[in-house]
Amino acid sequence: MLRLLSNPADRALEKTYWIFSLFVLICGALSVATEMYYLLILPIILLGAYVTIVHPKMIFLLFFAIAPFSIEIFLPNGLGTDLPTEPIALLLSGISVVLCIYNFDKIELRYLKHPITLLMILQLGWIFFTALFSQIPLISFKYLLAKSWYVIPFFFLPFYFLKNTKHIETVFKVLIASTSVAMIIIMIKHGMMGFTFKAINKAAHPIFRNHVIYAALLVLLVPFIWHFLKFSTRKKSWLALLTLFIIAIYFTYTRAAIGCVFIAIGAYFIIHYRLAKYATIASLVIGGLAVNSLVQKNKYLDFAPEYKKTVTHLKFDNLIEATYKLEDISTMERVYRWVAGLQMVKDRPLLGFGPGCFYPFYKDYTLASFRTYVSDNPDKSGIHNYYFMSLVEQGVLGLLIVLVLFVFTILYGENLYHRLSNKLDRSLVMSCILAIIVLAALLLMNDLIETDKLGSFFFLCLSVIVMIGIRSKVSQNQVLKLPS
């Protein structure tokens, strides 16, 4: 029971407490008397409304507390949603709009004028423009809405909620704690199945759609666990958690995620020694040359697999061997779709087929010589390369916006890291950069940004870099002056 104090705020809180308690009792009595037990939901709705209005930041934290446990649900109309995170993301988008209107005169333009913010706005604007010329406008505008209710609450809303470094750390701690619980549950289930490669998807389900998303979230959080390890007084606990994450990443049997642990280590030294510009140029040149060599004279046709040899492997060591022999079904199915995507780009290079429109059209552009046993694609999954998907669906400019966003963020983040004097902020910026680099690498083989567990995390990292850059004592002009 709350004590009645002289402070008016305490008296108001006690009054609210008693009113809510009475409402709960009334709903409980009515539900028993009428056998309409759904009346018990009313207090929960009322409490949710109260928290949303009075403490909206709690809804923001709630999202990251339950994000690792969200479950994908397919509706009767064929559409899918993630529960309960997608409704919460929609609610947060609504909160963002209300706060923007209510505090319009207090909006700090320096956040909106930041280059990363402008790139985000440009991307949304281009998605809208290409949706107007989409092959299926309804799908494209649904894609735009889905993109908006991740960008608005997880990129823009943190500018309002996260006032200092402690607030930022709290969000990452909540996400790490929640993910740790999910990870332990999955490892226990996986252990009961013998920690086999064959069982990992079953162990991760239904918390994660598949082992790839599970592994990606684990590896993205590793830089932040390292951050807390460095600055926490409970170093042994954080070290134990870091060790557990590394073990869990290995037992996901996800080649890309395991490789990204080493990419993150290498990226740390690249950022630390101011080599990001050279590493970025080298990556783009190598990637461009590789694509050009495959496209010239249709060289990619030489890599068509043997249908009967391209199979699913049930052991991880066999999978690794099959990968470099081009006999792994998941790798070759990606190639099957990339080849189709190449043909699609030739048809509509400028505006693409429309956001979200790869799946309805790609089968008309596939080549039978690259077909695999899973090419029927009952899951209606995408092209499995975010950059290629942007090119196919949004045209050349859509791809360029994505590339500029990643490259500029990494170079800006490196500059900011070296100009900050606050060690805590420096470490947070480094963690965000490493997470973005890891995600950029994962996107070569997957479409991960359009997922609730990873998309929200990515936009939050972008937002944190913008916030620390603006709030630091380093002048904006200094940070924006990229290394020559």
Side-chain angles (χ1 to χ4, degrees):
M1 182 184 296
L2 297 176
R3 293 182 301 167
L4 183 61
L5 302 177
S6 57
N7 192 320
D10 292 323
R11 291 201 300 271
L13 181 61
E14 183 180 27
K15 186 177 180 180
T16 303
Y17 170 79
W18 284 114
I19 291 173
F20 180 73
S21 299
L22 180 62
F23 182 72
V24 172
L25 289 173
I26 292 172
C27 288
L30 286 174
S31 67
V32 173
T34 62
E35 295 187 357
M36 294 188 296
Y37 297 107
Y38 60 82
L39 292 174
L40 293 171
I41 300 175
L42 293 178
I44 299 174
I45 295 174
L46 181 63
L47 181 62
Y50 173 81
V51 172
T52 300
I53 296 170
V54 180
H55 302 291
K57 185 180 175 181
M58 296 299 295
I59 306 297
F60 185 78
L61 291 174
L62 175 65
F63 178 93
F64 288 99
I66 64 177
F69 293 95
S70 67
I71 297 175
E72 187 176 22
I73 302 293
F74 291 97
L75 305 175
N77 59 6
L79 297 176
T81 185
D82 296 295
L83 295 177
T85 50
E86 200 154 86
I88 295 176
L90 277 168
L91 176 60
L92 286 170
S93 297
I95 290 173
S96 302
V97 173
V98 171
L99 289 174
C100 179
I101 296 172
Y102 185 74
N103 299 286
F104 187 77
D105 58 332
K106 299 178 183 177
I107 294 176
E108 297 187 61
L109 293 179
R110 56 182 181 160
Y111 289 104
L112 300 180
K113 291 180 179 178
H114 193 281
I116 293 177
T117 305
L118 294 177
L119 284 169
M120 292 300 306
I121 295 172
L122 176 62
Q123 186 180 49
L124 288 176
W126 182 250
I127 290 173
F128 173 79
F129 182 75
T130 53
L132 294 174
F133 299 91
S134 171
Q135 298 296 288
I136 309 179
L138 181 61
I139 290 178
S140 296
F141 279 104
K142 285 181 179 178
Y143 176 94
L144 174 61
L145 286 174
K147 185 86 171 181
S148 298
W149 67 58
Y150 282 110
V151 173
I152 292 172
F154 304 117
F155 179 78
F156 288 103
L157 195 56
F159 297 157
Y160 181 84
F161 280 155
L162 308 182
K163 302 296 185 182
N164 53 51
T165 301
K166 185 178 179 181
H167 291 168
I168 295 171
E169 287 188 320
T170 298
V171 177
F172 287 115
K173 283 182 178 179
V174 167
L175 182 57
I176 289 171
S178 183
T179 303
S180 298
V181 174
M183 175 186 68
I184 291 170
I185 293 172
I186 291 170
M187 288 191 73
I188 291 173
K189 289 173 61 180
H190 197 196
M192 294 173 67
M193 300 173 188
F195 283 115
T196 63
F197 171 62
K198 181 181 178 181
I200 181 57
N201 266 332
K202 186 176 180 180
H205 191 79
I207 298 177
F208 292 88
R209 183 193 308 170
N210 53 51
H211 70 109
V212 176
I213 295 176
Y214 169 48
L217 182 58
L218 294 183
V219 76
L220 287 173
L221 285 173
V222 165
F224 295 93
I225 297 175
W226 177 254
H227 163 80
F228 291 117
L229 172 62
K230 289 190 294 182
F231 293 97
S232 174
T233 55
R234 299 178 177 178
K235 294 187 180 298
K236 290 183 179 179
S237 298
W238 284 105
L239 180 60
L241 184 62
L242 178 62
T243 303
L244 189 59
F245 262 68
I246 297 299
I247 293 172
I249 290 169
Y250 173 77
F251 281 115
T252 64
Y253 299 116
T254 307
R255 294 159 292 180
I258 294 171
C260 280
V261 173
F262 298 98
I263 289 175
I265 295 171
Y268 172 84
F269 290 103
I270 287 172
I271 300 298
H272 187 74
Y273 290 107
R274 297 177 182 267
L275 299 173
K277 182 179 71 172
Y278 307 106
T280 301
I281 293 172
S283 299
L284 292 175
V285 169
I286 292 172
L289 290 175
V291 171
N292 183 65
S293 66
L294 291 173
V295 173
Q296 288 292 329
K297 298 181 181 179
N298 295 329
K299 181 72 174 177
Y300 63 89
L301 294 173
D302 296 342
F303 295 91
E306 290 187 45
Y307 184 82
K308 293 182 179 180
K309 287 187 176 181
T310 309
V311 297
T312 300
H313 293 270
L314 302 180
K315 292 184 178 180
F316 190 55
D317 52 351
N318 291 346
L319 176 65
I320 298 297
E321 180 183 0
T323 300
Y324 66 77
K325 288 183 177 180
L326 301 180
E327 294 177 356
D328 164 50
I329 197 165
S330 64
T331 301
M332 295 317 300
E333 177 61 21
R334 284 174 167 83
V335 176
Y336 175 71
R337 299 181 194 183
W338 294 345
V339 170
L342 178 63
Q343 309 306 315
M344 294 171 76
V345 171
K346 291 178 180 179
D347 261 11
R348 295 179 63 88
L350 297 179
L351 297 176
F353 280 72
C357 289
F358 169 77
Y359 175 78
F361 294 97
Y362 87 96
K363 289 187 179 181
D364 292 336
Y365 291 86
T366 56
L367 298 184
S369 57
F370 284 87
R371 184 174 174 80
T372 71
Y373 286 103
V374 296
S375 292
D376 290 339
N377 193 7
D379 295 332
K380 298 183 179 181
S381 54
I383 199 170
H384 288 300
N385 182 306
Y386 184 72
Y387 310 102
F388 207 171
M389 184 185 73
S390 299
L391 177 61
V392 171
E393 296 184 348
Q394 300 167 37
V396 175
L397 186 57
L399 172 62
L400 288 176
I401 293 172
V402 170
L403 292 176
V404 171
L405 176 62
F406 273 104
V407 171
F408 180 84
T409 300
I410 293 169
L411 296 181
Y412 173 87
E414 180 191 66
N415 228 326
L416 177 61
Y417 169 79
H418 286 285
R419 294 181 184 275
L420 286 169
S421 57
N422 185 292
K423 292 183 178 180
L424 202 61
D425 286 344
R426 276 168 56 91
S427 180
L428 264 178
V429 168
M430 174 64 85
S431 298
C432 287
I433 298 171
L434 295 182
I436 289 169
I437 290 173
V438 165
L439 185 60
L442 289 171
L443 291 177
L444 289 168
M445 298 295 286
N446 297 281
D447 318 322
L448 296 172
I449 288 184
E450 274 68 44
T451 61
D452 60 328
K453 300 177 194 292
L454 304 178
S456 55
F457 184 89
F458 168 68
F459 295 123
L460 177 63
C461 287
L462 290 178
S463 186
V464 168
I465 291 175
V466 172
M467 285 186 289
I468 292 179
I470 289 176
R471 295 172 189 172
S472 67
K473 294 181 180 179
V474 180
S475 74
Q476 188 75 351
N477 290 334
Q478 277 185 305
V479 178
L480 292 178
K481 186 180 178 181
L482 299 177
S484 58

